[in-house]
Amino acid sequence: MIDPPVTMPPKRVARLPVRPRAVRYPVLAVVFVCAACGLVYELELVALASYLIGDSVTQASVVLSVMVFAMGVGSLLAKRLRCRAAVGFGLVEGGLALIGGCSALVLYAAFAWLGEARYVLVAFSLAIGVLIGAEIPLLMSLIQRAESARTYGAGESGERESGERESGERKSETDEKDDPAGTVADLFAADYVGALVGGLAFPFLLLPWLGQLTGALVTGAVNAVAGGALVLWLFRHDLTARSRALLIGANLTVLAVLGTATVLVDDFEGAARRAVYGDSVRVAVHTDLQEVVVTGERGGPPDLFVDGRLRVGGQDEHRYHESLVHPAMNGPRERVLIIGGGDGLALREVLRYAGVRSVTVVELDPGVVRLARTNPELAALNGHAYRDPRVRVAFADAFRWLRGAGADAGAGADGLYDVVVSDLPDPGISASTKLYSEEFYGLAARVLADGGRLVVHAGSASARPRTYWTVDATLRAAGFSTRAYSASGGEAARAAGPDRAERARRSGGTDTAPGDWGYVLAARGPYPPALGLAPDAPRLRSLTAEGLTSGARAAERTRDALGAEPPPSTLVHPRYGG
């Protein structure tokens, strides 16, 4: 006779404060909250890096790829904590709340005081990714712990009403315990739904209501409360007295740090802004789309920064805008379209011609135009151009606006313009890349009258020749004939001093920073437009016909140094680097 195998009694499992069957639901709720917080940290890093460093495509690629890699590393490292899953999960969530909540502050501080945020961005992506990757394995261990309590703790709950009911419940519980695939499916479902909520909450709730810095801090606090509450309430009997004290102290410390940072965030932002822009900040506003800062000494011309990048240097902006506008005004000019240029400075130059009957300005951000109209320094700099009755402003994305521009009241009866001025950020900035594409120039060609001219600011010809000549190649691919020329920042730029030069360097490529600016003048058809000034051009401060000729030669020299001609840029294949 063979004796039946002896089954060893299982280890005693610590009692849970709720019925074992109900444990899964609070665990899945915490998975949902933690996943939402994790995606907010990820999007916060991408958004702030794009704002501070530029080239959103590159920054998103760096953050996402590094973070996904780090999540794999975190999953492997979590294996060492599975034997103490409760305390391990509590520490992971506390660390994630602290690092993720403070990531935006530290990234902004590195940019403001060190002038370099790329390495900090990679470090935070790694740290946050490792901690997020450790969450699911530890949560899986906690759910398995609850399943063990469900299976083996049933005998301690009191008498069963009947042997048949006990047998059926044990069979059901055992079936659920032996379904790890279902447990994993529940975990990932809660994780993905939480990521959806976090991804939608970031642009529609956190960013407009709290801003980037406060939004990250509040998210960290929510993360700390959710993780700490799960462990300290539901799995408190799994903790030793020392572990419980450690987790309580760690969570209180994290919440204290995040709360203090939230209270002081305005002071921090002011100090960081002074570090970036200097002590002469006049106006700093957050529009619905971007941060706009006006700086400069009282009584002097202002500098305008948009999202941390110098867009207008008051001491030498006339060199930039005269070179941009006046060569295109050599010919018919009754109807003019300005794309971008919400600061009103290109508009100021256009309105100096008496023959201009109407000007349409297409600007994406109403906040920039509002500031250009109401800020005394900017309004004086643009000559109060927006008060002119010939001016009409359309607040829209330029690409979409051009697709429906045939009904524009600022154009002639045929819906066409004599001059189109493209006064946009550098093409290397990803947000503006589509406005330097072959498709965009094709739309611009549709609204250009016969004999009309299009002028494009194409970035620095000497510092970024490949980008500059890619703009030229793209215009020619869209059916234009082109003339390339450049203009120097001149003595006013060099006299601006080291502080302004440093701020321009940190801005990562500017429109009117010290250096040179490159332009392309274009017309439809096989013949390029004449590069010169109109006979009745107003008196200019810096631009001359001789200067245009030398600027054309300087631009051509950068083509010779480039070698092979770059291909045109399209929407599906952008060619501009960051």
Side-chain angles (χ1 to χ4, degrees), residues 537-558:
R539 185 176 181 180
L540 305 179
R541 295 171 61 185
S542 62
L543 186 63
T544 63
E546 294 76 12
L548 279 176
T549 302
S550 62
R553 288 197 297 265
E556 285 298 329
R557 284 195 294 270
T558 66

Side-chain angles (χ1 to χ4, degrees), residues 174-199:
T174 303
D175 289 343
E176 290 185 20
K177 178 178 179 295
D178 294 335
D179 184 23
T183 301
V184 172
D186 289 343
L187 281 173
F188 279 104
D191 187 74
Y192 295 149
V193 174
L196 170 67
V197 172

